[in-house]
């Protein structure tokens, strides 16, 4: 009897934009929504080089399609050098134990060389008073929490993702 090896793993890139990016992809809410902001950023590899063939997706729990959004979902690639997502800053959400989590977006990162998506969160600086009581953020060592907090800039926020190396973004095992 001969032994058959397993099928080799495939990475999640590099051609993520084919069939996955649509015109409305970066819009979690319609253009012109009151209070909407852009969240822009770059995805960096371990050498500090920006990746131009990655893709990010975000979800937020407090938007529904009935609110004019796309159930809090948006998707953008980095072909232009950065991702750009249009949404509203979310509100707090229930933590399932009677408390609440600080306002945040859930983000998945897809890029060449990754066998699985990476999952992180985007927190907002104006809610710093809620960060200390967020049950998920509390699991992150204090010196690394800054990698999860967006920076206010212009018409929105900047949130860069570092896949490895100095300043590596915190990723969660889900």
């Amino acid at each position: 009897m001969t032994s058959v090896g397993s099928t080799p793993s495939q990475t999640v890139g590099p051609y993520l934009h084919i069939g996955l990016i649509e015109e409305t992809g970066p819009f979690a809410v319609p253009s012109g929504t009151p209070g909407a902001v852009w969240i822009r950023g770059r995805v960096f590899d371990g050498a500090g080089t920006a990746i131009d063939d990655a893709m990010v997706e975000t979800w937020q729990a407090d938007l529904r399609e009935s609110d004019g959004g796309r159930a809090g979902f948006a998707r953008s690639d980095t072909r232009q050098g950065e991702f750009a997502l249009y949404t509203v800053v979310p509100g707090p959400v229930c933590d399932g134990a009677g408390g609440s989590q600080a306002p945040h977006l859930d983000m998945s990162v897809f890029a060449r060389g990754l066998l699985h998506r990476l999952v992180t969160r985007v927190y907002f600086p104006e809610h710093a008073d809620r960060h200390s009581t967020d049950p998920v953020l509390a699991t992150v060592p204090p010196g690394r929490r800054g990698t999860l907090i967006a920076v206010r800039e212009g018409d929105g926020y900047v949130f860069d993702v570092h896949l490895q190396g100095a300043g590596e973004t915190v990723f969660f095992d889900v």
Side-chain angles (χ1 to χ4, degrees), residues 63-171:
L63 276 181
R64 297 175 304 278
E65 289 185 55
S66 61
D67 296 330
R70 294 180 10 162
F73 175 78
R75 177 186 284 155
S76 177
D77 63 36
T78 60
R79 286 182 285 174
Q80 303 300 316
E82 69 177 5
F83 62 85
L85 304 161
Y86 189 74
T87 190
V88 293
V89 174
V93 294
C94 178
D95 68 2
S100 65
Q101 298 178 29
H104 67 277
L105 300 175
D106 291 319
M107 177 181 279
S108 287
V109 180
F110 302 84
R112 62 182 135 90
L114 297 176
L115 297 178
H116 303 281
R117 70 185 172 126
L118 298 175
V119 178
T120 190
R121 283 184 165 198
V122 181
Y123 289 89
F124 298 90
E126 61 269 27
H127 298 291
D129 59 324
R130 295 176 183 249
H131 293 172
S132 62
T133 59
D134 183 274
V136 174
L137 199 52
T139 67
V140 177
R144 304 231 18 239
R145 291 178 189 162
T147 68
L148 299 175
I149 301 171
V151 175
R152 185 80 164 130
E153 186 175 289
D155 59 352
Y157 297 86
V158 173
F159 184 79
D160 289 333
V161 176
H162 296 265
L163 299 178
Q164 296 177 317
E168 177 182 343
T169 301
V170 171
F171 299 104

Side-chain angles (χ1 to χ4, degrees), residues 14-54:
Y15 304 108
L16 299 165
H17 58 278
I18 297 174
L20 291 177
I21 302 298
E22 55 193 60
E23 188 174 310
T24 59
F27 294 89
V29 296
S31 181
T33 296
V37 295
W38 283 100
I39 298 174
R40 295 180 176 94
R42 296 181 293 169
V43 178
F44 293 96
D45 65 16
T49 303
I51 298 172
D52 64 1
D53 59 359

